[in-house]
Amino acid sequence: MELIFASNNQHKLNEIQAIAGNKISLKSLKDISCFDEIPETGRTFEINAGQKSRYIYDRFHVSCFADDSGLEIDGLNGEPGVDSAHYSGSRDFGKNMELVLSNLGDNPNRRARFRTVISLLLNGEEHLFEGTIEGNITREICGTKGFGYDPIFIPEGYDVTFAEMDAEEKNRISHRAVAVRKMVVAALSSQ
């Protein structure tokens, strides 16, 4: 089965393909020559994921999916949330992480979760899948693997950040892995 992933984020594409395995062949927006800036104006992960997948389906008439993910930190009242990608006003994750750590300061409440919502459109019908992983925010940046906020997030039950784990371990437990596995089951059962 082939699905278009409504993203050109190569890190995400590689991660999702590794999770999906050979059951689904993923193509990026670049693969279908889509270089549009896709709207993402919602205030929830569900709305944003749906906007992106619907945009691609309506324009290209292909089975596709989109995700919206973010980091929700209890000590920051759920921030950065849907604004995770540009929390500092830019898409520079170094700046975004520094702002999170600065805003948290010495706050002892460092509970957080990564959430992903995937909107899958098959024959025009939307299916939503969610994945969440609980954890804590570090006091400093640790690790060089992964991307985004991985260097400041320690998943529950672990003593290292996502950025200190190898990709295989992260892909086994991550929020995205949980949502992608649900999506793969649904997509394959629709054939």
Side-chain angles (χ1 to χ4, degrees):
M1 175 176 219
E2 184 176 283
L3 286 176
I4 306 303
F5 178 33
S7 176
N8 275 318
N9 183 324
Q10 195 61 47
H11 291 292
K12 280 187 185 181
L13 185 69
N14 293 343
E15 192 173 279
I16 291 172
Q17 186 66 73
I19 296 163
N22 60 5
K23 298 171 187 145
I24 293 179
S25 173
L26 299 182
K27 303 264 187 224
S28 70
L29 293 177
K30 185 172 102 178
D31 294 326
I32 60 169
S33 299
C34 179
F35 302 99
D36 302 356
E37 188 65 35
I38 299 174
E40 215 175 330
T41 58
R43 294 308 303 156
T44 69
F45 297 123
E46 293 83 359
I47 291 171
N48 285 337
Q51 274 183 327
K52 292 185 282 187
S53 64
R54 179 60 60 191
Y55 182 91
I56 296 305
Y57 187 83
D58 288 349
R59 181 145 185 245
F60 295 93
H61 310 290
V62 293
S63 294
C64 62
F65 71 98
D67 82 320
D68 197 34
S69 303
L71 179 64
E72 299 173 331
I73 303 169
D74 292 351
L76 296 178
N77 299 315
E79 288 183 3
V82 294
D83 297 317
S84 291
H86 47 83
Y87 186 53
S88 66
S90 78
R91 289 190 174 269
D92 180 326
F93 273 100
K95 290 179 182 175
N96 290 340
M97 286 187 290
E98 290 296 338
L99 183 58
V100 162
L101 294 177
S102 173
N103 286 350
L104 262 178
D106 291 330
N107 187 334
N109 184 1
R110 302 184 90 76
R111 292 289 305 155
R113 72 212 41 80
F114 269 123
R115 281 187 59 221
T116 291
V117 173
I118 293 175
S119 167
L120 170 68
L121 280 171
L122 296 172
N123 302 317
E125 186 179 335
E126 183 180 38
H127 308 269
L128 293 174
F129 308 95
E130 183 173 340
T132 304
I133 185 164
E134 298 288 331
N136 289 288
I137 300 300
T138 61
R139 295 191 178 273
E140 59 187 32
I141 293 171
C142 304
T144 57
K145 299 175 188 168
F147 61 99
Y149 293 96
D150 287 356
I152 63 170
F153 183 81
I154 298 175
E156 204 167 75
Y158 290 80
D159 59 2
V160 295
T161 66
F162 270 163
E164 294 172 294
M165 292 181 177
D166 62 34
E168 186 176 305
E169 178 69 6
K170 179 188 172 192
N171 288 345
R172 193 175 62 73
I173 66 168
S174 78
H175 53 299
R176 190 165 289 110
V178 171
V180 168
R181 281 193 292 270
K182 291 176 185 175
M183 178 191 73
V184 167
V185 169
L188 293 176
S189 69
S190 73
Q191 288 185 311

